[in-house]
């Protein structure tokens, strides 16, 4: 036994033991990786892959190079500086329009260019319809005679900016910026600035919903945590009811309740609290009421799980040391609920950022959120690039919120540990 112990305590024996431990750890890691690999592949194929492909459309610009290859090649050496491009560029554009690929849609190309400069759609369609077989006398004069916009260098600058297979136009447009005629970044006209104000409104509504859920959810979770378990379970069923009802049904129910001759206005008039029905729909009030009703359980559940694990003895100990109920609540109980309150607020806020159906049904034009514009570009304008850019903007905002929350949580944990 002494010889075995001496061998283990020797440098050679200790190195062998460390090598064996590392080998066992590598084998365990490999086995765990093999078990996790199917789930990882499933998440990449079903979740991460489609999101990345959709986000790629925010910078993809294959329509212009594939539809106007001669024009793109001719514009490579031309720099927009206030002058028109040379005659070969006009000739290349005419050749592309006359030999437009049959498998491509001119309207799609026109809409793509019109998103960067208003008026391009009608310009492309008009030029294609009136383009002659031969120039008279040259293509520059011919195209200018068809439409005077071809004598404006700004339109050629837009073609130059959109000639690459990757474009920043959509991402810039999502924050109310654009590429000007010389290719520099500039602000859009004030009457066309839309998305930043829409993003701010989205944050504003989401924050209001999160705060209302916190105000309503905190006392509800406190009561649930203080009740006996069998009573708390019955009330928890009422809290969980929104999860078991369709979002569309819940929103439609609020439309019935809040309309001018609905139960809410009728009750207020019967109580002589109002003379005329209140406008409770198609405004911010209706949006907040409907969204809080849907998202309130996401606030109550994290708070309840935290409050249920706070020992009652903490509160009683504070009272025994002379603290009043208010002081004991503020100094002892409330700080222990902050993790649940922060988690619930963050969860409700982030979920509210992507809401579309509820604001669309019970909100007015000034209450629509960023998701409404994403849906509009996907289904109506068919501008998938802008929809992807707006989705990327919303995703980036969500990631930043998680990062900020993580920093605050880490700082709080560090201070508590110190």
């Amino acid at each position: 036994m002494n010889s075995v112990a001496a061998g283990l305590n020797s440098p050679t024996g200790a190195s062998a033991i460390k090598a064996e431990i590392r080998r066992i750890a590598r084998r365990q890691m490999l086995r765990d990786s093999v078990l996790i690999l199917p789930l990882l592949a499933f998440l990449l194929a079903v979740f991460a892959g489609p999101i990345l492909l959709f986000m790629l459309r925010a910078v993809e610009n294959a329509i212009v190079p594939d539809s106007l290859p001669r024009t793109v090649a001719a514009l490579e050496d031309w720099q927009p500086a206030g002058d028109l491009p040379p005659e070969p560029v006009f000739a290349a554009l005419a050749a592309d329009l006359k030999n437009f690929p049959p498998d491509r849609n001119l309207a799609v190309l026109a809409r793509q260019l019109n998103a960067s400069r208003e008026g391009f759609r009608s310009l492309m369609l008009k030029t294609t319809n009136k383009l002659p077989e031969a120039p008279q006398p040259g293509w520059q004069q011919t195209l200018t005679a068809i439409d005077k916009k071809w004598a404006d260098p700004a339109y050629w600058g837009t073609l130059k900016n959109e000639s690459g297979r990757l474009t920043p136009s959509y991402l810039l447009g999502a924050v109310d910026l654009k590429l000007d005629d010389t290719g520099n970044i500039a602000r859009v006209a004030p009457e066309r600035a839309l998305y930043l104000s829409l993003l701010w409104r989205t944050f504003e509504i989401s924050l209001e919903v999160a705060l209302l859920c916190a105000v309503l959810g905190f006392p509800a979770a406190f009561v649930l945590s203080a009740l006996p378990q069998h009573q708390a379970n019955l009330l928890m069923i009422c809290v969980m009811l929104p999860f078991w009802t369709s979002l569309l049904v819940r929103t439609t129910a609020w439309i019935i309740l809040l309309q001018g001759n609905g139960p809410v206005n009728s009750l207020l008039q019967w109580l002589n609290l109002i003379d005329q029905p209140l406008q409770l729909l198609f405004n911010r009030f209706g949006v907040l009421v409907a969204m809080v009703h849907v998202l309130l359980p996401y606030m109550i559940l994290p708070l309840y799980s935290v409050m249920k694990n706070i020992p009652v003895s903490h509160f009683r100990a504070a009272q025994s040391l002379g603290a009043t109920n208010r002081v004991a609540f503020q100094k002892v109980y409330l700080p222990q609920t902050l993790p649940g309150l922060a988690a619930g607020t963050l969860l409700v806020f982030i979920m509210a950022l992507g809401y579309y159906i509820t604001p669309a049904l019970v909100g007015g034009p000034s209450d629509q959120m960023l998701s409404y514009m994403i849906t509009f570009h996907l289904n109506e304008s068919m501008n998938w690039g802008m929809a992807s850019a707006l989705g990327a903007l919303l995703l980036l905002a969500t990631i930043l919120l998680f990062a900020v929350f993580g920093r605050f949580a880490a700082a709080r944990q560090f201070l508590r540990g110190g």
Side-chain angles (χ1 to χ4, degrees):
M1 294 294 293
N2 292 334
S3 61
V4 173
L8 293 176
N9 291 329
S10 65
T12 304
S15 299
I17 293 175
K18 292 180 181 179
E20 182 65 19
I21 292 175
R22 288 195 295 268
R23 186 177 65 82
I24 294 174
R26 285 196 298 269
R27 185 186 301 170
Q28 182 69 30
M29 184 182 301
L30 180 61
R31 184 167 62 248
D32 294 343
S33 300
V34 171
L35 293 174
I36 295 174
L37 189 60
L39 175 61
L40 181 61
F42 176 79
L43 291 177
L44 289 176
V46 177
F47 182 72
I51 291 179
L52 292 176
L53 290 175
F54 180 70
M55 294 303 170
L56 182 62
R57 287 185 174 270
V59 294
E60 186 183 21
N61 189 42
I63 296 177
V64 176
D66 291 344
S67 301
L68 304 174
R70 301 175 184 84
T71 307
V72 170
L75 284 171
E76 285 184 1
D77 299 328
W78 177 72
Q79 297 298 328
D83 299 326
L84 289 174
E87 173 66 21
V89 177
F90 285 87
L93 177 62
D96 282 332
L97 294 180
K98 286 194 297 184
N99 300 280
F100 198 80
D103 59 335
R104 296 197 170 271
N105 192 338
L106 179 63
V108 175
L109 171 64
R111 185 170 59 244
Q112 171 94 0
L113 294 172
N114 196 77
S116 298
R117 178 169 294 278
E118 191 173 354
F120 234 123
R121 184 177 184 277
S122 59
L123 175 62
M124 294 295 291
L125 298 177
K126 178 182 178 181
T127 303
T128 304
N129 291 331
K130 295 186 176 181
L131 195 66
E133 289 295 329
Q136 299 174 0
W139 282 117
Q140 180 173 350
Q141 292 86 347
T142 302
L143 293 179
T144 304
I146 293 175
D147 198 309
K148 295 187 180 299
K149 292 177 183 177
W150 290 121
D152 186 355
Y155 285 87
W156 292 101
T158 300
L159 271 177
K160 173 72 175 182
N161 293 336
E162 300 299 323
S163 61
R165 291 192 173 272
L166 297 178
T167 177
S169 297
Y170 297 124
L171 294 176
L172 292 174
V175 290
D176 292 335
L177 298 175
K178 66 174 183 177
L179 293 176
D180 62 13
D181 302 339
T182 60
N184 297 319
I185 297 177
R187 292 189 176 277
V188 300
E191 62 271 11
R192 300 196 66 181
L194 171 65
Y195 299 115
L196 281 181
S197 61
L198 199 58
L199 179 64
W200 172 253
R201 184 194 303 162
T202 301
F203 275 96
E204 181 183 351
I205 293 177
S206 300
L207 182 60
E208 291 173 354
V209 170
L211 293 178
L212 286 173
C213 285
V215 171
L216 297 175
F218 193 94
F222 179 78
V223 171
L224 287 172
S225 64
L227 289 175
Q229 191 62 46
H230 66 281
Q231 296 181 12
N233 290 338
L234 292 176
L235 292 179
M236 187 61 71
I237 294 176
C238 299
V239 173
M240 298 293 290
L241 278 177
F243 286 116
W244 305 331
T245 310
S246 168
L247 177 63
L248 187 60
V249 172
R250 282 174 280 175
T251 306
T252 306
W254 278 114
I255 294 177
I256 297 173
L257 290 172
L258 298 178
Q259 61 184 330
N261 57 349
V264 175
N265 272 311
S266 299
L267 178 62
L268 293 176
Q269 287 180 304
W270 182 73
L271 294 174
N272 293 323
L273 297 177
I274 57 174
D275 296 326
Q276 298 293 331
L278 299 176
Q279 182 64 36
L280 304 178
L281 275 179
F282 312 120
N283 52 25
R284 184 66 58 87
F285 178 82
V287 172
L288 294 179
V289 169
M291 290 183 65
V292 167
H293 171 237
V294 174
L295 296 174
L296 187 58
Y298 295 99
M299 177 65 70
I300 294 177
L301 293 177
L303 280 170
Y304 174 74
S305 64
V306 171
M307 291 178 177
K308 197 66 178 176
N309 293 320
I310 298 177
V312 182
S313 58
H314 291 184
F315 196 85
R316 294 173 180 171
Q319 289 178 320
S320 67
L321 294 173
T324 61
N325 290 337
R326 181 179 61 84
V327 174
F329 177 81
Q330 292 179 350
K331 300 294 185 180
V332 177
Y333 189 83
L334 183 60
Q336 297 184 75
T337 65
L338 290 181
L341 184 62
T345 302
L346 181 67
L347 181 62
V348 170
F349 182 82
I350 290 178
M351 294 188 67
L353 287 176
Y355 258 57
Y356 162 68
I357 294 178
T358 302
L361 291 180
V362 301
S366 60
D367 302 303
Q368 301 307 312
M369 302 169 70
L370 195 62
S371 54
Y372 174 85
M373 193 56 64
I374 295 175
T375 306
F376 169 78
H377 285 305
L378 281 175
N379 297 330
E380 297 188 33
S381 70
M382 301 302 292
N383 190 347
W384 283 31
M386 183 55 70
S388 177
L390 294 175
L393 181 64
L394 202 56
L395 179 62
L396 177 62
T398 305
I399 293 174
L400 289 177
L401 283 172
F402 267 117
V404 171
F405 178 77
R407 283 294 184 91
F408 275 111
R412 184 174 180 272
Q413 188 68 25
F414 174 78
L415 292 175
R416 290 182 61 185

